[in-house]
Amino acid sequence: MMSDMSDDESIGDTVSALGRLTPVLALATLIAAFGSSFQYGYNVAAINSPAELMKAFYNETYYDRIGEYMSEFSLTLLWSVSVSMFPFGGFLGSLMVGPLVNKLGRKGTLLFNNIFSIVPAILMGCSKVARSYEMIIVARVLVGICAGLSSNVVPMYLGELAPKNLRGALGVVPQLFITVGILVAQIFGLRNVLANEEGWPILLGVTGIPAVLQLLFLPFFPESPRYLLIQKKDEVTAKKALRRLRGWDDVDAETEEIREEDKAEKAAGFISVLKLLRMRSLRWQVISIVVLMAGQQLSGVNAIYYYADQIYLSAGVRTQDVQYVTAGTGAVNVLMTICAVFVVELLGRRVLLLLGFSICFTACCVLTAALALQDTISWMPYVSIACVICYVIGHALGPSPIPALLITEIFLQSSRPSAYMVGGSVHWLSNFTVGLIFPFIQVGLGAYSFIIFAMICLLTTIYTFLIVPETKSKTFIEINQIFTKKNKVSEMYPEKQELKDFPPSLAGQ
């Protein structure tokens, strides 16, 4: 027993010593995130700037076919469909994650996913020439599927490539590229760049370029060693991948750690979504992911962006300059996510979640008061602007990047794909719901709509404080042990446990 423990400690020491950012690991991270996550961010924001131009195109096209213009209601409905098809596609993409990552592997899925970017880029780019708004709507569904897959598969791929001491930093990189995508779309979407009569089809079609680059370069990088060893049983290729990622030959210790995980969950086999939801040993992990993913989307981030333009206008920003201020907010988002990349391994995941949601809660409360009083107190609009910026900072630190990273960390190999399907579905359905319902809430409650978002931020903060453990610098097995205690499962329920036949040396830790 003692020798087992000392062996394991030496394994842990060696594995943590392996944790450096090699060129192969850095480039694999950049290519996966730029080729996939960047497009998610880009397509979220690209459709905002040319909205009026595109509505005019819809109306002109309809007139050319029918001989009359659309009613205001029909045009609004058609536009709402165009916008909301993106999160709907995202939901469909999330449902495809499990089958694809198990069949094609993590890298294979990312390569396959480029179909859902290149095809819609061509459709959107050619829609004006073809005089077809249907092409845009179909393209929005396809590009949504692309985002739904990439928002789940990129964090999974990078989380499995990274050594444990870099897992947090690399896990935040996809979110960084999402914010970079949003910023690039905001810059390209300036009226004097591409948000004009001739430029908007190009603005929408640019999304295909990162996909082409990923198709060219990602094949030269390794597949997830965990996938190769645990699911493909291909030890030779797994070790070769690990050697390339770590930059030296002695990868036996890390291979052993992956094998321990494999042994520990041997009995579970592949865990489907239904099985995942029923397993007592995974109860708190699943609840945590649902709460954090819903909290991320329902905390008002979309509403803040929606409201931002009106807030800037009321503070005296000229109409033609609002677009630059919005791009400035996008830049703040990028800068704070860069901070999160460096801070996540220092402060830990739990602290960033608590800090981020608390800042968002405070910003929503103050913003409600500021919006209610902006007509009576002259300097209140400036408080509103400060609230928007504080909110963006808070969200970029924790609620945006951490939930997807946590899915990789709190689930083991057999349940991870299904966990991403659950988390992804909650993410996209919440996104879709906010997009659909928020305009009505805004009409009904006006400035007071942010009270709802403040309450969601507060509840998510309380849940995180009470339930979510710190996962920084722990192996997947150690994290699973923390939840095994929370779920109050023991060896009495071997068939229900994800960690069956737990290695005694690790169980004793």
Side-chain angles (χ1 to χ4, degrees), residues 40 89-94 97 143-153 424 428:
Y40 171 12
F91 173 63
L92 296 180
S94 295
V97 170
V143 92
I145 292 173
C146 171
L149 277 167
S150 66
S151 63
N152 293 303
V153 181
W428 289 103

Side-chain angles (χ1 to χ4, degrees), residues 46 48-57 128 185 187-204 323:
N48 294 343
S49 310
E52 293 309 314
L53 294 163
M54 289 172 71
K55 282 183 196 170
F57 164 70
K128 192 179 177 192
I187 293 167
F188 284 1
L190 296 173
R191 286 182 201 96
N192 51 359
V193 184
L194 285 175
N196 47 51
E197 197 63 54
E198 295 75 39
W200 69 258
I202 302 166
L203 174 67
L204 298 180
Q323 52 178 354

Side-chain angles (χ1 to χ4, degrees), residues 33-44 86 113-114 116-118 143 146-147 150 177-178 181 207-212 214:
F34 176 65
S36 299
S37 306
F38 175 88
Q39 298 183 63
Y40 171 12
Y42 187 85
N43 286 298
V44 163
F86 181 71
N113 191 26
N114 289 316
F116 298 114
S117 174
I118 293 166
V143 92
C146 171
S150 66
F177 273 86
I178 290 172
T207 184
I209 295 171
V212 172
Q214 190 182 65

Side-chain angles (χ1 to χ4, degrees), residues 257-367:
E257 188 224 310
I258 297 171
R259 223 185 261 113
E260 289 287 3
E261 185 186 326
D262 186 26
K263 245 187 281 177
E265 57 169 359
K266 202 70 155 200
F270 169 67
I271 295 174
S272 66
V273 172
L274 285 175
K275 190 175 176 187
L276 181 80
L277 297 174
R278 283 202 300 259
M279 283 176 78
R280 185 179 163 185
S281 62
L282 294 174
R283 187 171 298 163
W284 281 112
Q285 289 96 310
V286 173
I287 294 170
S288 298
I289 288 311
V290 170
V291 169
L292 290 174
M293 278 296 186
Q296 179 197 63
Q297 289 301 308
L298 302 177
S299 59
V301 64
N302 302 10
I304 286 275
Y305 278 115
Y306 187 91
Y307 237 97
D309 286 8
Q310 287 162 266
I311 290 168
Y312 299 144
L313 286 170
S314 66
V317 178
R318 290 182 309 174
T319 310
Q320 64 267 39
D321 294 338
V322 165
Q323 52 178 354
Y324 300 109
V325 183
T326 306
T329 315
V332 170
N333 200 357
V334 172
L335 288 172
M336 292 317 299
T337 312
I338 291 171
C339 287
V341 171
F342 292 104
V343 171
V344 68
E345 293 299 357
L346 200 66
L347 295 180
R349 290 65 158 146
R350 184 179 147 87
V351 173
L352 287 185
L353 280 172
L354 290 170
L355 183 66
F357 276 115
S358 303
I359 293 172
C360 292
F361 166 69
T362 311
C364 282
C365 291
V366 178
L367 182 60

Side-chain angles (χ1 to χ4, degrees), residues 83-111:
V83 173
S84 58
M85 278 301 114
F86 181 71
F88 176 68
F91 173 63
L92 296 180
S94 295
L95 298 181
M96 293 160 66
V97 170
L100 284 177
V101 292
N102 288 319
K103 186 111 179 93
L104 304 175
R106 280 67 169 144
K107 184 179 90 170
T109 303
L110 289 178
L111 290 171

Side-chain angles (χ1 to χ4, degrees), residues 423-439:
S425 302
V426 171
H427 172 103
W428 289 103
L429 283 176
S430 305
N431 189 322
F432 184 68
T433 307
V434 170
L436 226 51
I437 293 173
F438 178 69

